[in-house]
Amino acid sequence: MIVFFAQDAEATGSGISSLYLFLLLGVAFYFLLIRPQRRRAAKQQELIASIAVGDQVRTVGGLRGTIESLDDDSALLRLAEGSVEIERRAIASRIEQSTPEE
């Protein structure tokens, strides 16, 4: 009977260490994947909310143009040859206008 208790104690120790390993992997997964993705999504939402008419932007497809008008879900983007209507969520970044150095 004593032998069986010793084997149960070893099995319990192994189970707890497996649980710790699983928890450690979960925490690493959160900090390496989930948290950075949430930050990127929040930054993108902030950009979409802050764009205004006249801003020069780049879309996720690589188009560059100037915002002519905005709607709740879409924007009219003026290109070199005409205009195109795009979804606001397709705006990847604002193009900062550089001033020439003197």
Side-chain angles (χ1 to χ4, degrees):
M1 197 69 147
I2 295 174
V3 174
F4 292 118
F5 287 122
Q7 289 176 351
D8 287 341
E10 289 175 10
T12 303
S14 175
I16 291 174
S17 65
S18 295
L19 181 63
Y20 285 143
L21 179 62
F22 182 71
L23 288 174
L24 179 66
L25 287 173
V27 169
F29 184 76
Y30 174 78
F31 280 106
L32 293 175
L33 297 174
I34 297 172
R35 191 170 179 220
Q37 179 60 30
R38 284 186 181 172
R39 282 185 177 175
R40 281 190 295 269
K43 196 173 187 180
Q44 180 66 17
Q45 288 296 327
E46 182 181 312
L47 170 71
I48 289 171
S50 71
I51 60 171
V53 174
D55 287 347
Q56 290 189 355
V57 296
R58 183 182 55 82
T59 67
V60 292
L63 294 175
R64 292 173 182 246
T66 304
I67 301 290
E68 283 188 338
S69 68
L70 291 170
D71 195 0
D72 288 338
D73 296 328
S74 63
L76 189 63
L77 186 65
R78 184 178 32 157
L79 305 172
E81 295 290 327
S83 298
V84 64
E85 185 175 357
I86 60 168
E87 295 287 323
R88 282 180 82 142
R89 63 184 176 178
I91 296 172
S93 64
R94 181 181 288 122
I95 300 172
E96 299 298 328
Q97 303 217 349
S98 61
T99 58
E101 297 291 324
E102 291 186 28

Coordinates of all heavy atoms in Angstrom, one line a residue:
M1 N 0.8 -1.2 0.0 CA 0.0 0.0 0.0 C 0.9 1.3 0.0 O 0.5 2.2 -0.6 CB -0.9 -0.1 1.2 CG -2.0 0.9 1.2 SD -3.1 0.3 -0.1 CE -4.6 0.8 0.5
I2 N 2.0 1.2 0.6 CA 2.8 2.4 0.7 C 3.4 2.7 -0.7 O 3.5 3.9 -1.1 CB 4.0 2.2 1.7 CG1 3.4 2.1 3.1 CG2 5.0 3.3 1.6 CD1 4.4 1.7 4.1
V3 N 3.7 1.7 -1.5 CA 4.2 1.9 -2.8 C 3.2 2.6 -3.7 O 3.6 3.5 -4.5 CB 4.5 0.5 -3.5 CG1 4.9 0.7 -4.9 CG2 5.6 -0.2 -2.7
F4 N 1.9 2.3 -3.6 CA 0.9 3.0 -4.3 C 0.8 4.5 -4.0 O 0.6 5.3 -4.9 CB -0.5 2.4 -4.1 CG -0.6 1.0 -4.7 CD1 -0.8 -0.1 -3.9 CD2 -0.4 0.8 -6.1 CE1 -0.9 -1.4 -4.4 CE2 -0.5 -0.5 -6.6 CZ -0.7 -1.6 -5.8
F5 N 1.0 4.9 -2.7 CA 1.0 6.3 -2.4 C 2.2 7.0 -3.0 O 2.0 8.1 -3.4 CB 0.9 6.5 -0.8 CG -0.4 6.1 -0.2 CD1 -0.5 5.1 0.7 CD2 -1.5 6.8 -0.6 CE1 -1.7 4.8 1.3 CE2 -2.8 6.4 -0.1 CZ -2.8 5.4 0.9
A6 N 3.3 6.4 -3.0 CA 4.5 7.0 -3.6 C 4.3 7.3 -5.1 O 4.7 8.3 -5.6 CB 5.7 6.2 -3.3
Q7 N 3.7 6.3 -5.8 CA 3.4 6.5 -7.2 C 2.4 7.6 -7.4 O 2.5 8.4 -8.4 CB 2.9 5.2 -7.8 CG 4.0 4.2 -7.9 CD 3.5 2.8 -8.5 OE1 2.3 2.7 -8.6 NE2 4.4 1.9 -8.7
D8 N 1.4 7.7 -6.6 CA 0.4 8.8 -6.7 C 1.0 10.2 -6.5 O 0.7 11.1 -7.2 CB -0.8 8.6 -5.7 CG -1.7 7.4 -6.1 OD1 -1.6 7.0 -7.3 OD2 -2.4 6.9 -5.3
A9 N 1.9 10.3 -5.5 CA 2.6 11.5 -5.3 C 3.4 11.9 -6.4 O 3.5 13.1 -6.8 CB 3.4 11.4 -4.0
E10 N 4.1 11.0 -7.1 CA 4.9 11.3 -8.3 C 4.0 11.8 -9.4 O 4.3 12.7 -10.1 CB 5.8 10.1 -8.7 CG 6.9 9.8 -7.7 CD 7.6 8.6 -8.1 OE1 7.4 8.0 -9.2 OE2 8.5 8.1 -7.3
A11 N 2.9 11.1 -9.6 CA 2.0 11.5 -10.7 C 1.4 12.9 -10.4 O 1.2 13.7 -11.4 CB 0.9 10.5 -10.8
T12 N 1.1 13.2 -9.2 CA 0.6 14.5 -8.9 C 1.6 15.6 -9.2 O 1.3 16.7 -9.7 CB 0.1 14.6 -7.4 OG1 -0.8 13.6 -7.2 CG2 -0.5 16.0 -7.1
G13 N 2.8 15.4 -8.8 CA 3.9 16.3 -9.1 C 4.1 16.6 -10.6 O 4.3 17.7 -11.0
S14 N 4.0 15.5 -11.3 CA 4.1 15.6 -12.8 C 2.9 16.4 -13.4 O 3.1 17.2 -14.3 CB 4.2 14.2 -13.4 OG 4.2 14.3 -14.8
G15 N 1.8 16.2 -12.8 CA 0.6 16.9 -13.3 C 0.6 18.4 -13.0 O 0.3 19.2 -13.8
I16 N 1.1 18.8 -11.8 CA 1.3 20.2 -11.5 C 2.3 20.8 -12.3 O 2.1 22.0 -12.8 CB 1.6 20.3 -10.0 CG1 0.4 19.9 -9.1 CG2 2.0 21.7 -9.6 CD1 0.6 19.9 -7.7
S17 N 3.4 20.2 -12.6 CA 4.4 20.8 -13.5 C 3.9 20.9 -14.9 O 4.3 21.9 -15.6 CB 5.7 20.0 -13.4 OG 5.5 18.7 -14.0
S18 N 3.1 20.0 -15.4 CA 2.5 20.2 -16.7 C 1.5 21.4 -16.7 O 1.5 22.1 -17.7 CB 1.7 18.9 -17.1 OG 2.6 17.8 -17.2
L19 N 0.8 21.6 -15.6 CA -0.1 22.7 -15.5 C 0.7 24.0 -15.5 O 0.3 25.0 -16.2 CB -0.9 22.6 -14.2 CG -1.9 23.7 -14.0 CD1 -3.0 23.8 -15.1 CD2 -2.6 23.6 -12.6
Y20 N 1.8 24.1 -14.8 CA 2.6 25.3 -14.8 C 3.2 25.5 -16.2 O 3.2 26.7 -16.6 CB 3.8 25.1 -13.8 CG 3.4 25.3 -12.4 CD1 4.0 24.5 -11.4 CD2 2.5 26.2 -12.0 CE1 3.7 24.6 -10.1 CE2 2.1 26.3 -10.6 CZ 2.7 25.5 -9.7 OH 2.4 25.7 -8.4
L21 N 3.6 24.5 -16.9 CA 4.1 24.7 -18.3 C 3.0 25.2 -19.2 O 3.3 26.1 -20.0 CB 4.7 23.4 -18.8 CG 5.2 23.4 -20.2 CD1 6.4 24.3 -20.3 CD2 5.6 22.0 -20.7
F22 N 1.8 24.7 -19.0 CA 0.7 25.1 -19.9 C 0.4 26.6 -19.6 O 0.1 27.4 -20.5 CB -0.5 24.2 -19.6 CG -1.7 24.6 -20.4 CD1 -1.8 24.4 -21.8 CD2 -2.8 25.2 -19.8 CE1 -2.9 24.7 -22.5 CE2 -3.9 25.6 -20.6 CZ -4.0 25.3 -21.9
L23 N 0.4 27.0 -18.3 CA 0.1 28.4 -17.9 C 1.2 29.3 -18.4 O 0.9 30.4 -18.9 CB 0.0 28.5 -16.4 CG -1.3 27.9 -15.8 CD1 -1.3 28.0 -14.3 CD2 -2.5 28.7 -16.3
L24 N 2.5 28.9 -18.4 CA 3.6 29.6 -18.9 C 3.4 29.9 -20.4 O 3.7 31.0 -20.9 CB 4.9 29.0 -18.5 CG 6.2 29.7 -19.0 CD1 6.3 31.0 -18.3 CD2 7.4 28.8 -18.8
L25 N 3.1 28.8 -21.1 CA 2.9 29.0 -22.6 C 1.7 29.9 -22.9 O 1.8 30.7 -23.8 CB 2.6 27.6 -23.2 CG 3.8 26.7 -23.3 CD1 3.4 25.3 -23.8 CD2 4.8 27.3 -24.2
G26 N 0.6 29.9 -22.1 CA -0.5 30.8 -22.2 C -0.1 32.2 -22.0 O -0.5 33.1 -22.8
V27 N 0.7 32.5 -21.0 CA 1.2 33.9 -20.7 C 2.1 34.3 -21.8 O 2.0 35.5 -22.3 CB 1.9 33.9 -19.3 CG1 2.6 35.2 -19.1 CG2 0.9 33.7 -18.2
A28 N 3.0 33.5 -22.3 CA 3.9 33.8 -23.4 C 3.1 34.1 -24.6 O 3.4 35.1 -25.4 CB 4.9 32.7 -23.6
F29 N 2.1 33.3 -24.9 CA 1.3 33.5 -26.1 C 0.6 34.9 -26.0 O 0.5 35.6 -27.0 CB 0.3 32.4 -26.2 CG -0.6 32.4 -27.4 CD1 -0.1 32.0 -28.6 CD2 -1.9 32.8 -27.3 CE1 -0.9 32.0 -29.8 CE2 -2.7 32.9 -28.4 CZ -2.2 32.5 -29.7
Y30 N 0.1 35.2 -24.9 CA -0.6 36.5 -24.7 C 0.4 37.7 -24.9 O 0.0 38.6 -25.7 CB -1.2 36.6 -23.3 CG -1.8 38.0 -23.0 CD1 -3.0 38.3 -23.5 CD2 -1.1 38.9 -22.2 CE1 -3.5 39.6 -23.2 CE2 -1.6 40.2 -22.0 CZ -2.8 40.5 -22.5 OH -3.3 41.7 -22.2
F31 N 1.5 37.6 -24.3 CA 2.5 38.8 -24.5 C 3.1 38.8 -25.8 O 3.5 39.9 -26.3 CB 3.5 38.7 -23.3 CG 3.0 39.3 -22.0 CD1 2.7 38.4 -21.0 CD2 2.8 40.6 -21.9 CE1 2.2 38.9 -19.8 CE2 2.3 41.1 -20.7 CZ 2.0 40.3 -19.6
L32 N 3.3 37.7 -26.5 CA 4.0 37.8 -27.8 C 3.0 37.9 -29.0 O 3.4 38.5 -30.0 CB 4.8 36.5 -28.0 CG 6.0 36.3 -27.0 CD1 6.6 35.0 -27.2 CD2 7.0 37.4 -27.2
L33 N 1.7 37.5 -28.8 CA 0.8 37.6 -30.0 C -0.4 38.5 -29.7 O -0.7 39.4 -30.5 CB 0.4 36.2 -30.4 CG 1.5 35.2 -30.8 CD1 1.0 33.9 -31.0 CD2 2.1 35.8 -32.1
I34 N -1.1 38.2 -28.7 CA -2.4 38.9 -28.5 C -2.2 40.4 -28.1 O -2.9 41.2 -28.7 CB -3.2 38.2 -27.4 CG1 -3.5 36.7 -27.9 CG2 -4.5 38.9 -27.1 CD1 -4.2 35.9 -26.9
R35 N -1.4 40.7 -27.2 CA -1.2 42.1 -26.7 C -0.7 43.0 -27.9 O -1.3 44.1 -28.1 CB -0.3 42.1 -25.5 CG -0.2 43.4 -24.8 CD 0.5 43.3 -23.5 NE 0.6 44.5 -22.9 CZ 1.7 45.0 -22.2 NH1 2.7 44.2 -22.2 NH2 1.7 46.1 -21.7
P36 N 0.3 42.6 -28.6 CA 0.8 43.5 -29.7 C -0.3 43.7 -30.8 O -0.4 44.7 -31.4 CB 2.0 42.7 -30.3 CG 2.5 41.9 -29.2 CD 1.3 41.5 -28.4
Q37 N -1.1 42.6 -31.1 CA -2.1 42.7 -32.1 C -3.2 43.7 -31.6 O -3.7 44.5 -32.4 CB -2.8 41.4 -32.3 CG -3.9 41.4 -33.3 CD -3.5 41.9 -34.7 OE1 -2.4 41.8 -35.1 NE2 -4.4 42.6 -35.4
R38 N -3.5 43.7 -30.3 CA -4.5 44.6 -29.8 C -4.0 46.1 -29.9 O -4.8 47.0 -30.2 CB -4.9 44.3 -28.3 CG -5.8 43.1 -28.2 CD -6.2 42.9 -26.8 NE -7.0 41.8 -26.7 CZ -7.4 41.2 -25.5 NH1 -7.1 41.8 -24.4 NH2 -8.2 40.2 -25.5
R39 N -2.7 46.3 -29.6 CA -2.1 47.6 -29.7 C -2.2 48.1 -31.2 O -2.5 49.3 -31.4 CB -0.7 47.6 -29.3 CG -0.5 47.6 -27.8 CD 0.9 47.7 -27.4 NE 1.1 47.7 -26.0 CZ 2.2 47.8 -25.3 NH1 3.3 47.7 -26.0 NH2 2.3 47.8 -24.0
R40 N -1.9 47.2 -32.1 CA -1.9 47.6 -33.5 C -3.4 48.0 -33.9 O -3.6 49.0 -34.7 CB -1.4 46.5 -34.4 CG 0.1 46.5 -34.5 CD 0.6 45.5 -35.6 NE 0.2 44.1 -35.3 CZ 1.0 43.3 -34.7 NH1 2.2 43.7 -34.2 NH2 0.6 42.0 -34.5
A41 N -4.3 47.2 -33.5 CA -5.7 47.4 -33.8 C -6.2 48.8 -33.2 O -6.9 49.5 -33.9 CB -6.6 46.3 -33.3
A42 N -5.8 49.0 -32.0 CA -6.2 50.3 -31.3 C -5.5 51.5 -32.1 O -6.2 52.5 -32.3 CB -5.8 50.3 -29.9
K43 N -4.3 51.3 -32.5 CA -3.6 52.4 -33.2 C -4.3 52.7 -34.6 O -4.4 53.8 -35.0 CB -2.1 52.0 -33.4 CG -1.2 53.1 -33.8 CD 0.2 52.6 -33.8 CE 1.1 53.8 -34.0 NZ 2.5 53.4 -34.0
Q44 N -4.7 51.6 -35.2 CA -5.4 51.7 -36.5 C -6.8 52.4 -36.3 O -7.1 53.3 -37.1 CB -5.6 50.3 -37.2 CG -6.3 50.4 -38.5 CD -5.5 51.1 -39.6 OE1 -4.3 51.3 -39.5 NE2 -6.2 51.4 -40.6
Q45 N -7.5 52.1 -35.3 CA -8.8 52.7 -35.0 C -8.6 54.2 -34.7 O -9.4 55.0 -35.2 CB -9.5 52.0 -33.9 CG -10.0 50.7 -34.2 CD -11.1 50.7 -35.2 OE1 -11.9 51.7 -35.3 NE2 -11.2 49.7 -36.1
E46 N -7.5 54.5 -34.0 CA -7.2 55.9 -33.7 C -6.9 56.7 -35.0 O -7.4 57.8 -35.2 CB -6.0 56.0 -32.8 CG -5.6 57.4 -32.4 CD -4.4 57.3 -31.4 OE1 -4.4 56.5 -30.5 OE2 -3.5 58.1 -31.7
L47 N -6.2 56.1 -35.9 CA -5.8 56.7 -37.2 C -7.1 56.9 -38.0 O -7.3 58.0 -38.5 CB -4.9 55.8 -38.0 CG -4.6 56.3 -39.5 CD1 -3.8 57.6 -39.5 CD2 -4.0 55.2 -40.2
I48 N -8.0 55.9 -38.1 CA -9.2 56.1 -38.9 C -10.1 57.2 -38.3 O -10.7 57.9 -39.1 CB -9.9 54.7 -38.9 CG1 -9.1 53.7 -39.8 CG2 -11.3 54.9 -39.4 CD1 -9.6 52.3 -39.8
A49 N -10.1 57.3 -37.0 CA -11.0 58.3 -36.4 C -10.4 59.7 -36.5 O -11.1 60.7 -36.5 CB -11.1 58.0 -34.9
S50 N -9.1 59.8 -36.7 CA -8.4 61.1 -36.8 C -8.2 61.7 -38.2 O -7.8 62.8 -38.3 CB -7.1 61.1 -36.0 OG -6.1 60.3 -36.8
I51 N -8.5 60.9 -39.2 CA -8.3 61.5 -40.6 C -9.3 62.5 -40.9 O -10.4 62.5 -40.4 CB -8.3 60.4 -41.6 CG1 -9.6 59.7 -41.7 CG2 -7.1 59.4 -41.5 CD1 -9.8 58.7 -42.9
A52 N -8.9 63.5 -41.7 CA -9.8 64.6 -42.0 C -9.6 64.9 -43.5 O -8.7 64.5 -44.2 CB -9.4 65.9 -41.2
V53 N -10.5 65.7 -44.0 CA -10.5 66.1 -45.4 C -9.2 66.9 -45.6 O -8.8 67.7 -44.8 CB -11.7 67.0 -45.8 CG1 -11.6 67.5 -47.2 CG2 -13.0 66.2 -45.6
G54 N -8.5 66.6 -46.7 CA -7.3 67.2 -47.0 C -6.0 66.5 -46.6 O -4.9 66.8 -47.1
D55 N -6.2 65.4 -45.8 CA -5.0 64.6 -45.4 C -4.6 63.7 -46.6 O -5.4 63.2 -47.3 CB -5.4 63.7 -44.2 CG -5.5 64.4 -42.9 OD1 -5.1 65.6 -42.8 OD2 -6.1 63.8 -42.0
Q56 N -3.3 63.6 -46.7 CA -2.7 62.7 -47.7 C -2.5 61.3 -47.0 O -2.0 61.3 -45.9 CB -1.4 63.2 -48.2 CG -1.6 64.4 -49.1 CD -0.3 64.8 -49.8 OE1 0.7 64.2 -49.6 NE2 -0.4 65.7 -50.7
V57 N -3.0 60.3 -47.6 CA -3.0 58.9 -47.0 C -2.5 57.9 -48.0 O -2.5 58.1 -49.2 CB -4.4 58.5 -46.5 CG1 -4.9 59.5 -45.4 CG2 -5.4 58.5 -47.6
R58 N -2.2 56.7 -47.4 CA -1.8 55.5 -48.2 C -2.8 54.4 -47.8 O -3.0 54.2 -46.6 CB -0.4 55.1 -47.9 CG 0.1 53.9 -48.8 CD 1.5 53.5 -48.4 NE 1.7 53.2 -47.0 CZ 1.4 52.1 -46.5 NH1 0.9 51.1 -47.1 NH2 1.7 51.9 -45.2
T59 N -3.3 53.7 -48.8 CA -4.2 52.6 -48.5 C -3.4 51.3 -48.3 O -2.2 51.2 -48.6 CB -5.3 52.4 -49.6 OG1 -4.6 52.0 -50.7 CG2 -6.0 53.7 -49.8
V60 N -4.1 50.3 -47.8 CA -3.5 49.0 -47.6 C -3.1 48.4 -49.0 O -2.2 47.6 -49.1 CB -4.3 48.0 -46.9 CG1 -4.5 48.4 -45.4 CG2 -5.7 47.8 -47.5
G61 N -3.7 48.8 -50.1 CA -3.4 48.4 -51.4 C -2.3 49.2 -52.1 O -1.8 48.9 -53.2
G62 N -1.8 50.2 -51.4 CA -0.7 51.0 -51.9 C -1.1 52.3 -52.6 O -0.2 53.0 -53.1
L63 N -2.4 52.6 -52.8 CA -2.8 53.8 -53.4 C -2.4 55.0 -52.5 O -2.6 54.9 -51.3 CB -4.3 53.8 -53.7 CG -4.8 52.8 -54.7 CD1 -6.3 52.8 -54.7 CD2 -4.3 53.1 -56.0
R64 N -2.0 56.1 -53.1 CA -1.7 57.3 -52.4 C -2.6 58.4 -52.9 O -2.7 58.5 -54.1 CB -0.2 57.7 -52.5 CG 0.7 56.7 -51.8 CD 2.1 57.1 -52.2 NE 3.0 56.1 -51.5 CZ 3.9 56.4 -50.6 NH1 4.0 57.7 -50.1 NH2 4.6 55.5 -50.1
G65 N -3.2 59.2 -52.0 CA -4.0 60.2 -52.5 C -4.4 61.2 -51.4 O -3.9 61.0 -50.2
T66 N -5.3 62.1 -51.7 CA -5.8 63.1 -50.7 C -7.3 62.9 -50.5 O -8.0 62.6 -51.4 CB -5.6 64.5 -51.3 OG1 -4.2 64.7 -51.6 CG2 -6.0 65.6 -50.3
I67 N -7.6 62.9 -49.2 CA -9.0 62.7 -48.8 C -9.9 63.9 -49.3 O -9.6 65.1 -48.9 CB -9.2 62.6 -47.3 CG1 -8.4 61.4 -46.8 CG2 -10.6 62.5 -46.9 CD1 -8.9 60.0 -47.2
E68 N -10.9 63.7 -50.1 CA -11.8 64.7 -50.6 C -13.0 64.9 -49.7 O -13.5 66.0 -49.4 CB -12.2 64.5 -52.0 CG -11.2 64.8 -53.0 CD -11.8 64.7 -54.5 OE1 -12.8 64.0 -54.7 OE2 -11.2 65.3 -55.3
S69 N -13.6 63.7 -49.3 CA -14.7 63.7 -48.4 C -14.7 62.5 -47.6 O -14.2 61.5 -47.9 CB -16.0 63.9 -49.2 OG -16.3 62.7 -50.0
L70 N -15.4 62.6 -46.4 CA -15.5 61.4 -45.5 C -17.0 61.1 -45.2 O -17.8 62.0 -45.1 CB -14.8 61.7 -44.2 CG -13.3 61.9 -44.3 CD1 -12.7 62.4 -43.0 CD2 -12.7 60.5 -44.6
D71 N -17.2 59.8 -45.0 CA -18.5 59.4 -44.6 C -18.3 58.5 -43.3 O -17.1 58.3 -42.9 CB -19.1 58.5 -45.7 CG -20.6 58.3 -45.5 OD1 -21.2 58.8 -44.5 OD2 -21.2 57.6 -46.4
D72 N -19.3 57.9 -42.8 CA -19.1 57.1 -41.6 C -18.2 55.9 -41.9 O -17.3 55.5 -41.1 CB -20.4 56.6 -41.0 CG -21.2 57.7 -40.4 OD1 -20.6 58.7 -40.0 OD2 -22.4 57.6 -40.2
D73 N -18.4 55.2 -43.1 CA -17.7 54.0 -43.4 C -16.8 54.2 -44.6 O -16.0 53.3 -44.9 CB -18.7 52.9 -43.7 CG -19.5 52.5 -42.4 OD1 -18.9 52.6 -41.3 OD2 -20.7 52.1 -42.6
S74 N -16.9 55.2 -45.3 CA -16.1 55.4 -46.6 C -15.5 56.7 -46.7 O -15.8 57.7 -45.9 CB -17.0 55.1 -47.8 OG -18.0 56.1 -47.9
A75 N -14.6 56.8 -47.6 CA -13.9 58.1 -47.9 C -13.7 58.2 -49.4 O -13.5 57.2 -50.1 CB -12.5 58.1 -47.2
L76 N -13.7 59.4 -49.9 CA -13.4 59.7 -51.3 C -12.0 60.1 -51.4 O -11.6 61.1 -50.8 CB -14.4 60.7 -51.9 CG -14.3 60.9 -53.4 CD1 -14.8 59.6 -54.1 CD2 -15.3 62.1 -53.8
L77 N -11.2 59.3 -52.1 CA -9.8 59.6 -52.2 C -9.4 60.1 -53.6 O -9.8 59.5 -54.6 CB -9.0 58.2 -52.0 CG -7.5 58.3 -51.9 CD1 -7.1 59.1 -50.7 CD2 -6.9 56.9 -51.8
R78 N -8.9 61.3 -53.7 CA -8.5 61.9 -54.9 C -7.1 61.4 -55.3 O -6.1 61.6 -54.6 CB -8.5 63.4 -54.8 CG -8.2 64.1 -56.2 CD -8.2 65.6 -56.0 NE -7.8 65.9 -54.7 CZ -7.3 67.1 -54.3 NH1 -7.2 68.1 -55.1 NH2 -7.0 67.3 -53.1
L79 N -7.0 60.9 -56.5 CA -5.7 60.4 -57.0 C -5.2 61.3 -58.1 O -5.9 62.3 -58.4 CB -5.9 58.9 -57.6 CG -6.5 57.9 -56.6 CD1 -6.8 56.6 -57.4 CD2 -5.6 57.7 -55.5
A80 N -4.1 61.0 -58.7 CA -3.6 61.9 -59.8 C -4.5 61.9 -61.0 O -4.6 62.9 -61.6 CB -2.2 61.3 -60.2
E81 N -5.2 60.8 -61.2 CA -6.1 60.7 -62.4 C -7.5 60.3 -61.9 O -7.9 59.2 -62.0 CB -5.6 59.6 -63.4 CG -4.3 59.9 -64.0 CD -4.4 61.1 -65.0 OE1 -5.4 61.2 -65.6 OE2 -3.4 61.8 -65.1
G82 N -8.2 61.2 -61.2 CA -9.6 61.0 -60.8 C -9.7 60.7 -59.3 O -8.8 61.0 -58.6
S83 N -10.8 60.1 -59.0 CA -11.1 59.8 -57.6 C -11.6 58.4 -57.4 O -12.1 57.8 -58.4 CB -12.1 60.8 -57.0 OG -11.7 62.1 -57.1
V84 N -11.5 57.9 -56.2 CA -12.0 56.5 -56.0 C -12.5 56.5 -54.6 O -12.0 57.2 -53.7 CB -10.8 55.5 -56.1 CG1 -9.7 55.7 -55.1 CG2 -11.4 54.1 -56.0
E85 N -13.6 55.8 -54.4 CA -14.2 55.7 -53.1 C -13.7 54.4 -52.4 O -13.6 53.3 -53.0 CB -15.8 55.5 -53.2 CG -16.4 55.5 -51.8 CD -18.0 55.6 -51.9 OE1 -18.5 55.6 -53.1 OE2 -18.6 55.5 -50.9
I86 N -13.2 54.6 -51.2 CA -12.6 53.4 -50.4 C -13.3 53.3 -49.1 O -13.9 54.2 -48.6 CB -11.1 53.6 -50.2 CG1 -10.8 54.9 -49.4 CG2 -10.4 53.6 -51.6 CD1 -9.4 55.0 -49.0
E87 N -13.1 52.2 -48.5 CA -13.5 52.0 -47.1 C -12.6 52.7 -46.2 O -11.3 52.7 -46.4 CB -13.6 50.5 -46.7 CG -14.6 49.7 -47.5 CD -16.0 50.0 -47.1 OE1 -16.2 50.2 -45.8 OE2 -16.9 50.0 -47.9
R88 N -13.0 53.3 -45.1 CA -12.1 54.0 -44.2 C -11.1 53.0 -43.6 O -10.0 53.4 -43.3 CB -12.9 54.6 -43.1 CG -13.6 55.9 -43.5 CD -14.3 56.6 -42.4 NE -13.4 57.3 -41.5 CZ -13.7 58.4 -41.0 NH1 -14.9 59.0 -41.2 NH2 -12.9 59.1 -40.2
R89 N -11.5 51.8 -43.3 CA -10.6 50.8 -42.7 C -9.5 50.4 -43.7 O -8.5 49.7 -43.2 CB -11.4 49.6 -42.3 CG -12.1 48.8 -43.4 CD -12.9 47.7 -42.9 NE -13.5 47.1 -44.1 CZ -14.3 46.1 -44.1 NH1 -14.5 45.5 -42.9 NH2 -14.9 45.6 -45.1
A90 N -9.6 50.8 -44.9 CA -8.5 50.4 -45.9 C -7.4 51.5 -45.8 O -6.4 51.3 -46.5 CB -9.1 50.4 -47.3
I91 N -7.5 52.5 -45.0 CA -6.5 53.5 -44.9 C -5.4 52.9 -44.0 O -5.7 52.6 -42.8 CB -7.0 54.8 -44.4 CG1 -8.0 55.4 -45.4 CG2 -5.9 55.8 -44.1 CD1 -8.8 56.6 -44.9
A92 N -4.2 52.8 -44.5 CA -3.1 52.2 -43.7 C -2.3 53.2 -43.0 O -1.9 53.0 -41.8 CB -2.2 51.4 -44.7
S93 N -2.1 54.4 -43.5 CA -1.3 55.4 -42.8 C -1.5 56.8 -43.4 O -2.0 56.9 -44.5 CB 0.2 55.1 -42.9 OG 0.6 55.1 -44.2
R94 N -1.2 57.8 -42.6 CA -1.2 59.2 -43.1 C 0.2 59.5 -43.6 O 1.2 59.2 -43.0 CB -1.6 60.1 -41.9 CG -1.7 61.5 -42.3 CD -2.0 62.4 -41.1 NE -3.4 62.2 -40.7 CZ -3.8 61.8 -39.5 NH1 -3.0 61.6 -38.6 NH2 -5.1 61.7 -39.3
I95 N 0.3 60.2 -44.7 CA 1.5 60.6 -45.3 C 1.9 62.0 -44.7 O 1.1 62.9 -45.0 CB 1.5 60.6 -46.8 CG1 1.2 59.2 -47.4 CG2 2.8 61.1 -47.4 CD1 0.9 59.2 -48.9
E96 N 2.9 62.1 -44.0 CA 3.4 63.3 -43.4 C 4.0 64.2 -44.5 O 4.8 63.7 -45.3 CB 4.4 63.1 -42.3 CG 3.8 62.3 -41.2 CD 2.6 63.0 -40.5 OE1 2.6 64.2 -40.4 OE2 1.8 62.2 -40.0
Q97 N 3.6 65.4 -44.6 CA 4.1 66.3 -45.6 C 5.4 66.9 -45.1 O 5.5 67.5 -44.0 CB 3.1 67.4 -45.9 CG 1.8 66.9 -46.3 CD 1.2 67.7 -47.4 OE1 1.6 68.8 -47.6 NE2 0.1 67.2 -48.0
S98 N 6.5 66.7 -45.8 CA 7.8 67.2 -45.4 C 8.0 68.6 -46.0 O 7.6 68.8 -47.1 CB 8.9 66.2 -45.8 OG 8.9 66.1 -47.2
T99 N 8.6 69.4 -45.2 CA 9.0 70.7 -45.7 C 10.4 70.7 -46.2 O 11.3 70.1 -45.5 CB 8.8 71.8 -44.6 OG1 9.6 71.4 -43.5 CG2 7.3 71.9 -44.1
P100 N 10.7 71.4 -47.2 CA 12.1 71.4 -47.7 C 13.0 72.1 -46.7 O 12.7 73.1 -46.2 CB 12.0 72.1 -49.1 CG 10.7 72.7 -49.2 CD 9.8 72.1 -48.1
E101 N 14.2 71.5 -46.6 CA 15.2 72.1 -45.7 C 15.9 73.2 -46.4 O 16.2 73.1 -47.6 CB 16.2 71.0 -45.3 CG 15.7 69.8 -44.5 CD 15.3 70.2 -43.1 OE1 15.9 71.1 -42.5 OE2 14.2 69.7 -42.6
E102 N 16.1 74.3 -45.7 CA 16.8 75.4 -46.3 C 18.2 75.5 -45.9 O 18.7 75.1 -44.9 CB 16.1 76.7 -46.0 CG 14.7 76.7 -46.6 CD 14.1 78.1 -46.4 OE1 14.8 79.1 -46.2 OE2 12.9 78.1 -46.4

